[in-house]
Amino acid sequence: MTGVEDTSEPLLGIGEFARRSRLSLKALRLYDRLGLLPPARVDAGTGYRFYRNDQVARARLIVLLRRLDMPLAEVAGVLAAGDGPAGADRLADYWASVERRIAVQRELAVYLRIRLSGGEGSRGMHRIEQREVPEQTVLSEQRHIRVGELPEWIPAASGRLQAVADAHGGVHAAPFVVLHGEVSEDSDGPVEVCVPIDPSLAALAGRSAAVRVEPAHRELYARLTRAQIEYPQILGAYDAVYQAVAERGLEAAGPAREVYFGHVATAPPAEPVCDVAVPVR
């Protein structure tokens, strides 16, 4: 026997329960095995499953959650949280993650469409601006790394440098990531994370991290939303900036970089968080 049998009302056989809950027999057996919807009683002799009538509501909730393409592990989390704010918050968190994924996939589809059409229209995806960047003293961490490792390494390196900066007057401008070489599945940069600090505190900060001076320069840049910074669609921004460099009769005067002025981890998909920039002369 599994579960607690309620003798105050007749139990439903698995066939009737399947009809009322709109779940197949196969799904009911799976949800029993996973602990999502265990029957009220299992006949010891026949193995036949019986359900309480009040389990229909839970079964229909599972049906609706699965229509959101929610993985079974996440369904279990929502059910465990129960009715009320906890369950609602768990659902809201899941749906926010779905919307972020869809936004990223939308940008990827645009990038792939442009790539498949021979690059026509890539310039129009991004508005290219120009600005003067003053000399900056930066804390620096550099590493040879491939593209798949970037999402983990960049935040970790930024966190280490941020901690040093906070101990020496704080961060003085938007952190940036310099790509000193190609970064892909086959090429490893190197890549450098830079956190600007007060130049007068460079000697003190240099005891805990590498310090260097980033020269003043002019640069062209494209502003990207949270959804647009995902790889490989971010490559479209690089293509657009370099195309603008050539069209304006300029030359690249240094390696490309990504300037992070937004909170990538928490920003909604449509919020600007990063500039892809190329120093020019």
Side-chain angles (χ1 to χ4, degrees):
M1 180 179 293
T2 65
V4 177
E5 181 177 355
D6 184 356
T7 58
S8 65
E9 63 175 330
L11 297 178
L12 302 173
I14 190 171
E16 177 63 20
F17 187 78
R19 283 190 291 274
R20 294 194 186 185
S21 64
R22 305 185 186 95
L23 286 168
S24 68
L25 300 183
K26 180 179 179 181
L28 286 173
R29 294 187 184 101
L30 172 62
Y31 297 162
D32 176 17
R33 188 164 64 250
L34 296 176
L36 296 177
L37 190 62
R41 181 169 71 86
V42 178
D43 186 278
T46 65
Y48 201 73
R49 295 169 169 83
F50 296 89
Y51 295 83
R52 297 188 309 273
N53 189 62
D54 62 10
Q55 289 183 282
V56 172
R58 182 182 178 93
R60 288 180 177 172
L61 176 59
I62 294 173
V63 170
L64 294 174
L65 293 173
R66 290 292 284 160
R67 290 187 67 181
L68 294 176
D69 291 329
M70 183 179 286
L72 288 173
E74 188 62 34
V75 170
V78 173
L79 295 176
D83 294 339
D89 288 346
R90 187 73 181 252
L91 173 60
D93 290 343
Y94 166 74
W95 192 247
S97 72
V98 171
E99 290 183 325
R100 287 193 295 269
R101 174 174 57 81
I102 294 299
V104 169
Q105 290 176 327
R106 184 183 302 114
E107 294 295 335
L108 176 58
V110 171
Y111 167 76
L112 290 173
R113 178 181 58 79
I114 291 172
R115 179 175 176 180
L116 290 170
S117 64
E120 184 179 352
S122 62
R123 246 320 242 106
M125 283 183 62
H126 302 284
R127 180 178 177 180
I128 309 301
E129 303 282 358
Q130 180 176 299
R131 65 187 169 204
E132 299 293 331
V133 181
E135 179 181 280
Q136 298 180 91
T137 299
V138 301
L139 302 177
S140 168
E141 186 170 329
Q142 185 168 303
R143 178 175 171 181
H144 285 275
I145 192 166
R146 287 183 167 80
V147 68
E149 303 168 283
L150 289 176
E152 181 177 346
W153 178 73
I154 289 177
S158 297
R160 290 188 289 269
L161 297 177
Q162 173 85 48
V164 176
D166 288 344
H168 298 88
V171 178
H172 270 225
F176 55 96
V177 177
V178 182
L179 283 70
H180 292 281
E182 182 181 353
V183 181
S184 65
E185 291 85 353
D186 302 315
S187 302
D188 61 358
V191 177
E192 180 186 18
V193 175
C194 297
V195 173
I197 61 169
D198 185 341
S200 67
L201 299 175
L204 292 175
R207 298 173 183 174
S208 303
V211 177
R212 73 173 181 84
V213 174
E214 173 73 8
H217 61 272
R218 179 169 39 129
E219 65 186 21
L220 298 187
Y221 68 96
R223 182 145 293 182
L224 277 64
T225 65
R226 174 63 183 85
Q228 291 173 323
I229 66 173
E230 295 294 327
Y231 181 87
Q233 51 264 45
I234 193 173
L235 298 180
Y238 280 97
D239 291 342
V241 175
Y242 276 110
Q243 184 178 345
V245 171
E247 289 175 352
R248 299 183 189 188
L250 302 171
E251 294 180 2
R257 66 271 324 273
E258 298 167 11
V259 183
Y260 288 93
F261 53 84
H263 298 285
V264 173
T266 58
E271 182 175 306
V273 294
C274 170
D275 293 335
V276 166
V278 175
V280 296
R281 57 173 173 259

